[in-house]
């Protein structure tokens, strides 16, 4: 059987490799790490999470939750292992990142049908079928080759990573566990700030020094687009002094129950309002590490320490990973790909993951799985799968391959891209009921698809 080349061992490439290997296909999996790192990765493991450790909501009435359910039905290995390595985070699927990537690495390295090659690829192989899943941190040399191959300029935006602190170093005389509006389990650590404390924090932030960008990032910065979901906190703060209080530091619905001892204090409790709150989310299985939610940053490490330790409860926090920022690269998918994630110019070449312009962990896994399904069918001379936009994955692929974009930019799964359906007006006005109808339609569609694959 003809070997299949997969370039990139991130989430998309790992998902694709395991799917195809289980189908009996022989895989050459190329990954340049650990010989050559990206500037954001810290290990040589496959499917490493480099930013947040959360894949978002598990509720199928959320766009992210529905996408996870769809690929779970289609047989995603990575989503299965994410559940197996989950850590408490309310209604979200967050993982022990090291346990997760460790088991995926073991599966890949021990699979009889996968040949791991730790080399940097600078060209797309001329022979065989190839999946490019090199990610948003594709090496400059390979980027140049892709640009030359397709004659299309790349677009660049900047991504950033949030710091992580040790739980044992958090001062719980000031910090407290709680969930917004007390819904679900109290899985988040909350650090409330008074107005004076917030203004001090803000002044440190806007006057802090940033890390010097690398040469290739400086060039990209000239036309940089910040993706809202990963915007550095210092960039967000430039929009105004209160921007953070209505964003990642929003205090609404967060209360410290320890301040109230009995039913007689309930009314006072409900009126409690902090000026701002920093939330931390569990980052490992043992609950030793917590990341600062929404605190992606490119400040110098000394400045990050000063900023973080200005937060009440984190005065003596031990920082185990500092935030970093890096340039992300993606292809002009509407001009390059069809709805099978296959290149228009070469039927033996496919793309998946964030290099296609999808943004997010689940989205990367999902496109890796769809590309693998179609590669398997391509090898077996079966018709390729084109998903309808009634499913979240179908809508995502439909969006990134829509040739009517005037300014194509990365996209997460969201309800705005899914195909609309007729429904009574009173349901359309009820977000939960409306999303339930969309979700049920998508799940039924994917289940029917699974039955014929």
């Amino acid at each position: 059987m003809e070997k299949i080349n997969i370039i990139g061992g991130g989430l998309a490439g790992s998902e694709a490799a395991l799917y195809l290997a289980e189908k009996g296909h022989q895989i050459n999996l190329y990954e340049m790490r650990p010989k050559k790192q990206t500037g954001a990765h810290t290990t040589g493991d496959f499917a490493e999470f480099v930013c947040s450790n959360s894949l978002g909501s598990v509720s199928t009435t959320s766009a992210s939750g529905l996408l996870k359910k769809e690929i779970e039905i289609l047989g995603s290995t990575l989503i299965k292992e994410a559940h197996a390595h989950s850590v408490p985070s309310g209604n979200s699927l967050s993982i022990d990142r090291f346990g997760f990537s460790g088991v995926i690495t073991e599966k890949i390295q021990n699979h009889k049908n996968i040949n791991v090659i730790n080399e940097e690829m600078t060209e797309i192989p001329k022979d065989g079928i190839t999946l490019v899943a090199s990610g948003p941190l594709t090496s400059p040399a390979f980027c140049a080759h892709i640009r030359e191959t397709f004659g299309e300029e790349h677009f660049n935006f900047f991504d950033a990573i949030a710091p992580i602190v040790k739980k044992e170093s958090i001062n719980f005389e000031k910090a407290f566990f709680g969930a917004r509006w007390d819904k679900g389990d109290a899985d988040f650590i909350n650090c409330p700030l008074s107005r004076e404390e917030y203004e001090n924090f803000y002044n440190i932030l806007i006057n802090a020094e940033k890390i010097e960008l690398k040469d290739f990032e400086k060039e990209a910065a000239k036309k940089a687009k910040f993706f809202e979901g990963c915007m550095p906190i210092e960039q967000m703060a430039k929009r105004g002094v209160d921007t953070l209080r209505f964003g990642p530091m929003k205090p609404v619905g967060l209360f410290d129950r320890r301040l109230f001892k009995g039913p007689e204090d309930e009314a006072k409790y409900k009126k409690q309002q902090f000026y701002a709150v920093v939330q931390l989310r569990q980052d490992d299985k043992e609950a030793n590490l917590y990341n600062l939610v929404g605190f992606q940053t490119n400040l110098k490490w000394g400045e990050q320490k000063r900023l973080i330790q200005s937060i009440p409860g984190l005065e003596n926090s031990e920082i185990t990973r500092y935030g970093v920022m890096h340039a992300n690269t993606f292809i002009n998918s509407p001009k390059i790909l069809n709805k099978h994630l296959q290149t228009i110019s070469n039927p033996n070449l496919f793309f998946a993951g964030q290099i296609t312009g999808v943004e997010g962990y689940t989205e990367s896994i999902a496109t890796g799985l769809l590309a693998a399904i179609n590669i398997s069918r391509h090898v077996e001379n079966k018709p390729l799968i084109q998903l309808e936009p009634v499913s979240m994955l179908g809508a995502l692929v439909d969006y990134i391959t829509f040739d009517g974009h005037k300014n194509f930019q990365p996209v997460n799964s969201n309800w705005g891209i899914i195909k609309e359906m007729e429904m009574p007006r009173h349901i359309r006005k009820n977000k939960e009921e409306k999303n339930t109808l969309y979700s049920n339609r998508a799940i039924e569609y994917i289940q029917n698809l699974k039955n014929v694959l």
Side-chain angles (χ1 to χ4, degrees):
M1 183 177 289
E2 185 176 18
K3 280 200 173 183
I4 297 167
N5 306 303
I6 297 179
I7 301 173
L11 295 171
S14 296
E15 178 70 61
L18 288 168
Y19 178 90
L20 289 164
E22 284 297 300
K23 288 285 187 180
H25 301 289
Q26 299 295 307
I27 308 299
N28 281 329
L29 178 56
Y30 295 88
E31 172 52 58
M32 67 181 186
R33 295 180 295 114
K35 288 184 177 179
K36 181 175 182 178
Q37 289 289 10
T38 62
H41 290 81
T42 58
T43 76
D45 288 347
F46 292 98
E48 179 184 340
F49 276 46
V50 297
C51 188
S52 164
N53 68 320
S54 175
L55 287 100
S57 175
V58 293
S59 170
T60 56
T61 58
S62 73
S64 176
L66 174 58
L67 183 61
K68 279 189 279 295
K69 183 64 177 179
E70 289 176 4
I71 60 175
E72 181 182 348
I73 293 170
L74 292 174
S76 168
T77 299
L78 267 63
I79 290 299
K80 178 182 177 181
E81 291 299 335
H83 282 291
H85 292 83
S86 64
V87 297
S89 61
N91 198 37
S92 297
L93 176 58
S94 298
I95 64 159
D96 170 4
R97 69 178 76 215
F98 300 113
F100 171 82
S101 60
V103 76
I104 297 301
T105 300
E106 184 179 356
K107 283 178 177 288
I108 288 173
Q109 290 179 336
N110 294 332
H111 203 293
K112 64 179 183 179
N113 293 332
I114 301 177
N115 176 35
V116 175
I117 303 169
N118 288 120
E119 295 178 4
E120 177 190 0
M121 293 294 285
T122 57
E123 293 185 355
I124 297 168
K126 293 181 173 61
D127 299 322
I129 297 171
T130 298
L131 170 63
V132 176
S134 50
L137 299 175
T138 297
S139 70
F142 196 38
C143 277
H145 171 70
I146 294 172
R147 184 182 299 115
E148 181 182 348
T149 299
F150 294 101
E152 296 286 349
E153 285 296 316
H154 281 60
F155 298 82
N156 294 278
F157 69 101
F158 280 85
D159 200 0
I161 294 172
I164 293 175
V165 301
K166 277 193 175 181
K167 179 186 175 184
E168 64 183 21
S169 67
I170 298 173
N171 178 7
F172 282 98
E173 290 185 4
K174 297 179 180 179
F176 64 93
F177 278 95
R180 203 174 295 276
W181 300 113
D182 291 334
K183 291 184 178 180
D185 296 327
D187 293 330
F188 291 86
I189 296 174
N190 303 278
C191 298
L193 292 84
S194 66
R195 179 169 187 161
E196 182 180 1
E197 290 165 336
Y198 175 78
E199 289 175 349
N200 177 60
F201 167 89
Y202 181 79
N203 285 329
I204 293 173
L205 176 60
I206 60 172
N207 291 301
E209 290 186 73
K210 301 181 185 67
I211 295 172
E212 184 76 9
L213 295 176
K214 299 178 179 64
D215 289 342
F216 81 94
E217 290 176 322
K218 287 179 181 178
E219 185 63 28
K222 295 176 182 178
K223 52 180 179 179
K225 300 284 186 180
F226 283 99
F227 183 71
E228 290 288 331
C230 289
M231 178 175 288
I233 192 170
E234 60 270 18
Q235 185 74 14
M236 199 182 307
K238 290 181 179 180
R239 296 176 173 178
V241 67
D242 289 321
T243 301
L244 300 178
R245 295 201 311 115
F246 290 91
M249 297 178 70
K250 180 172 64 176
V252 177
L254 292 170
F255 312 105
D256 186 356
R257 276 199 171 274
R258 298 174 306 177
L259 302 178
F260 307 102
K261 307 303 181 184
E264 66 277 6
D265 293 319
E266 189 67 22
K268 183 179 178 182
Y269 162 73
K270 289 182 177 178
K271 291 181 181 179
Q272 182 187 172
Q273 178 69 65
F274 300 117
Y275 194 73
V277 174
V278 172
Q279 285 199 302
L280 295 94
R281 178 173 53 220
Q282 185 176 334
D283 201 87
D284 68 326
K285 195 77 172 179
E286 292 74 25
N288 294 325
L289 304 175
Y290 278 74
N291 64 66
L292 279 69
V293 177
F295 268 62
Q296 296 86 355
T297 182
N298 191 45
L299 299 181
K300 288 186 175 181
W301 286 10
E303 300 280 41
Q304 288 187 43
K305 184 175 183 179
R306 187 162 70 100
L307 180 71
I308 290 169
Q309 293 187 343
S310 75
I311 299 168
L314 303 182
E315 306 92 340
N316 300 305
S317 57
E318 183 178 345
I319 303 168
T320 63
R321 184 190 72 186
Y322 286 91
V324 296
M325 190 172 80
H326 49 83
N328 280 0
T329 305
F330 58 99
I331 62 172
N332 191 5
S333 290
K335 303 298 183 185
I336 293 174
L337 301 180
N338 62 26
K339 297 186 189 302
H340 311 304
L341 297 178
Q342 179 185 45
T343 60
I344 297 167
S345 59
N346 181 356
N348 289 331
L349 179 61
F350 294 73
F351 279 78
Q354 284 187 251
I355 195 169
T356 68
V358 298
E359 174 63 28
Y361 294 143
T362 305
E363 289 82 351
S364 295
I365 296 169
T367 53
L369 179 59
L370 179 60
I373 290 170
N374 277 329
I375 289 171
S376 181
R377 296 178 71 85
H378 182 56
V379 171
E380 297 164 6
N381 293 314
K382 295 178 180 178
L384 304 193
I385 299 297
Q386 178 175 319
L387 295 176
E388 296 294 328
V390 298
S391 65
M392 190 56 68
L393 179 52
L396 194 65
V397 174
D398 191 62
Y399 182 90
I400 66 169
T401 57
F402 172 61
D403 63 5
H405 287 294
K406 293 183 179 179
N407 182 27
F408 176 58
Q409 290 295 316
V411 66
N412 284 109
S413 53
N414 65 86
W415 292 114
I417 61 175
I418 205 162
K419 185 177 181 180
E420 290 193 356
M421 61 187 298
E422 293 294 327
M423 63 182 68
R425 185 177 179 184
H426 70 278
I427 293 180
R428 186 169 292 280
K429 288 186 175 183
N430 185 309
K431 182 179 179 181
E432 190 76 11
E433 289 187 22
K434 180 179 70 173
N435 291 352
T436 297
L437 288 179
Y438 280 125
S439 177
N440 290 343
R441 179 184 65 172
I443 291 171
E444 181 182 4
Y445 171 78
I446 293 294
Q447 285 174 333
N448 290 335
L449 175 66
K450 173 65 174 177
N451 292 335
V452 300
L453 286 179

